[in-house]
Structures are given as structure tokens and as C-alpha cells.
Amino acid sequence: MATAEQLKALVKSYADGDEAQFFSIAMQVAAHAARQGHARLAQELRALVDQAKARGGQVAPRRVEPPTPLAQPRGELSGLLSVSYPDTRLSEMVLQPGVRDRLDRILREHKQSHKLREHGLRPRHRVLLVGPPGSGKTMTAAALAGEMQIPLFTIVLDGLITKMMGETAAKLRLVFDAIRSTRGVYLFDEFDAIGGQRNAPNDVGEIRRVLNSFLQFLEQDQSDSLIIAATNHPELLDHALFRRFDDVLEYDLPAGELIERTILAKLGTFAPEDLDWKSLGKSAKGLGYAELARACDDSIKEAILDDRSSVTTQSLLRAFDERRAARRS
């Protein structure tokens, strides 16, 4: 059987998330068991370690998170927040390498936040996403919620912004109270409606007070939630906002290789080997990820109804044109 020191070292390596050390100590326990005459136990321990390594298993620390209630926002919050429980993953998205690396860093910091807090540090929890429509900002919020297995709360701007002086700021306080009490990913989409420049020509006092309140609430937030703001118009945002966020991620519409990867990922087994990528790349230019995905779905549906096992270049070109026409209508 394992010694007391081995047991303590095993638990410590698990708590630290040190995979190599955990497996090393487990093998030491197996060797010790063999020397004590417990050959069967030693063999089973070695087999378990080998299986875990073959699966790519990772030793990760566990922490007790605040409970996440599976319920819709109630009372006044019901008009301010909409909730969903995404199963989207980052692996399903086609992202620029730099953006993907920074998202992975955010996830890593949240999954091992206890390590950071032991040194007086906090994970990135205030993220600003900027880029044109269809570049993947909203899907990123869903993917982060899915990866972290927490709900995605989207702030309903129609319910938040009112004409009554002082009422919007009061509602914003309710939202930040929810951020503190219920762990989740909180998405402020079309964020320029709140974060517009305070010296803009069309500025009114109410919007200026709302922005000041938002900045104050953002600075004071000490929750375990992840706050995401997304905008198609970063040039409209007040300059003070940018330094209040832990990360600012810039998105672009897919181009070149990213168009090809997006199409192949969406088509899956319906992708033939003879697609005309030059024509497809030219036709798909300017379309967002969501538009490309819907166009691929349309082409797959056509193939299924025509009893074909794959799509054609022509069906994809038609689908891209239809998506572009739908945008103009």
C-alpha cells in the first residue's frame, strides 16, 4: 500500500494540476505495492496510468464554484437579461490564430483561477470584442460559456435603456448585482449603445450618466463572472472604456484560408474533392462566418433532396449569392 508521504504527494500534485508529477507518484505507489507483494494491485495501477496517458487525460484541480441556478431571470431582471445554456465549443469555430490563443488564455485563467488568487491576482474577466457583423463575436461568447459550462446571459438593451432620467443607471445596477450573485458569461451586445463617446455631438446627459455608472460598476466588479462587451463600431466607443477591459480582441471577416476552413468544417462529409476554391473564395468574400454557415446548410439541404452525397461548387455559389441578396433586402 502507499506510504503516508506518497499519499500526501499524490494529493498535492492533483491539487496543483501537475500531471507529470501525479503520474510519477502513482507509478511509485505501484512499485511500492509490488515490493510489498501486491502484484495484482501494482499491475492494475500501472494499467490505469497507461490508459490515462493514452487518452490524453489531464490532472486538473477542482474548486467549488458558486452554484449556477438553472432558472430564468425573475422579476425586473426578466426584462433585462435573456439566458441560454450553450453547448458551443471553441473547436467548432474558425478563428484567427492570435484570437484563438487569447481566448484559450482566458479559459485557462478561469479554470485555474484559484492559483492566481493565491497570489492576489484575478483571471481576465472583462473582455471587449470588436469587429464587423458576422465575424464571430456573439458565437465567441456562447463558446466561452459552453467551455466553462456556465449560462450565457445576454443583456437586453431595449429593456435597459429608457428615456427616464436615472432609470437606466438603476437597471444597470440590477444587472451588475446579478453578475455578482450568479456566475455566468454576461454579454453586452451592440455595446456602443451604452459606451458611446461622452463628448459626441448628439450626447445627452442620461447616456453620459449611464456610461459613468457602467465604468464605476465595471471597476468595482469582483465577481467570478465573465463580462463580454461586443461592438461593430469601436470608433464610437468612449476612449476611457478601452483601458477598463482586461483584453480587447479584434475580429475580421473570414478571408483566404479561413473561408476554405469554414466551408470544409461546415460541409463535413458532404464536401467533395473537386470544389473550385478560387471561385468560392471570390464569391464568399465579404460574408461573415454565420452567413457562410447558413449558405453551406442550404447547399447540403439541396444535395440531400437531390439524393446526392456531396454538394457542388455551383450550389454553394448560388447559396452565397442568396445570402448576399438577403443582406441587402
Side-chain angles (χ1 to χ4, degrees):
M1 299 299 290
T3 66
E5 291 302 318
Q6 286 173 335
L7 287 175
K8 288 191 292 184
L10 199 64
V11 172
K12 185 178 186 302
S13 63
Y14 176 82
D16 291 342
D18 190 337
E19 177 182 338
Q21 181 70 359
F22 182 87
F23 287 139
S24 174
I25 297 170
M27 293 300 289
Q28 293 176 26
V29 172
H32 181 75
R35 289 195 297 270
Q36 296 295 317
H38 304 294
R40 183 179 179 83
L41 174 60
Q43 183 179 1
E44 291 176 347
L45 285 173
R46 292 192 186 101
L48 288 171
V49 171
D50 290 341
Q51 290 173 13
K53 289 181 177 179
R55 289 195 307 266
Q58 182 179 5
V59 176
R62 297 178 181 177
R63 59 175 296 218
V64 178
E65 300 288 359
T68 301
L70 299 177
Q72 293 287 339
R74 298 179 181 277
E76 193 169 359
L77 276 177
S78 63
L80 301 176
L81 300 173
S82 64
V83 62
S84 61
Y85 299 89
D87 56 5
T88 309
R89 295 293 185 269
L90 286 179
S91 59
E92 301 172 23
M93 301 183 66
V94 178
L95 296 164
Q96 301 97 315
V99 171
R100 177 58 192 269
D101 291 343
R102 294 168 73 180
L103 292 174
D104 285 337
R105 180 175 63 184
I106 291 171
L107 285 175
R108 184 184 181 193
E109 289 187 6
H110 275 267
K111 290 179 178 179
Q112 302 189 54
S113 61
H114 68 289
K115 288 185 177 181
L116 301 179
R117 294 181 189 279
E118 287 175 357
H119 294 274
L121 300 172
R122 300 191 61 206
R124 287 170 170 80
H125 69 291
R126 301 170 299 194
V127 182
L128 176 62
L129 311 181
V130 301
S135 55
K137 302 185 298 298
T138 302
M139 189 175 180
T140 293
L144 290 173
E147 294 280 2
M148 296 166 67
Q149 298 184 350
I150 56 179
L152 170 64
F153 293 96
T154 302
I155 285 74
V156 181
L157 292 181
D158 288 346
L160 179 64
I161 300 177
T162 70
K163 295 180 180 179
M164 299 297 294
M165 186 173 296
E167 188 173 328
T168 299
K171 290 185 175 182
L172 195 59
R173 180 182 293 277
L174 286 177
V175 170
F176 273 88
D177 286 344
I179 290 172
R180 184 177 62 254
S181 62
T182 304
R183 185 170 182 256
V185 174
Y186 288 79
L187 173 62
F188 289 82
D189 207 356
E190 299 181 6
F191 183 60
D192 42 281
I194 295 176
Q197 296 183 25
R198 286 172 284 189
N199 59 354
N202 61 345
D203 178 41
V204 295
E206 174 67 356
I207 293 300
R208 186 162 56 249
R209 281 187 289 272
V210 169
L211 178 54
N212 288 335
S213 296
F214 180 87
L215 292 173
Q216 180 181 359
F217 293 147
L218 197 65
E219 286 286 339
Q220 294 174 348
D221 178 62
Q222 297 292 319
S223 70
D224 291 321
S225 294
L226 178 59
I227 301 172
I228 297 180
T231 180
N232 304 331
H233 303 287
E235 72 280 1
L236 298 180
L237 296 183
D238 192 273
H239 299 301
L241 278 166
F242 288 90
R243 63 177 180 268
R244 297 310 209 287
F245 286 92
D246 303 317
D247 246 333
V248 179
L249 277 61
E250 297 184 13
Y251 287 68
D252 292 312
L253 292 175
E257 181 188 355
L258 292 181
I259 290 177
E260 182 175 339
R261 287 171 54 195
T262 301
I263 293 173
L264 287 174
K266 190 61 182 177
L267 293 181
T269 59
F270 283 90
E273 296 181 359
D274 59 348
L275 286 174
D276 182 353
W277 288 112
K278 184 176 181 180
S279 297
L280 290 174
K282 184 177 180 180
S283 178
K285 187 176 181 180
L287 294 177
Y289 288 101
E291 291 170 313
L292 289 178
R294 294 190 184 101
C296 289
D297 284 342
D298 291 342
S299 191
I300 291 172
K301 290 175 184 177
E302 180 181 316
I304 293 172
L305 295 176
D306 290 345
D307 296 319
R308 289 186 278 108
S309 60
S310 62
V311 306
T312 65
T313 296
Q314 289 304 315
S315 69
L316 283 171
L317 291 175
R318 285 195 302 273
F320 293 157
D321 288 341
E322 290 172 358
R323 288 296 158 187
R324 191 170 282 105
R327 180 195 292 176
R328 293 194 295 266
S329 62

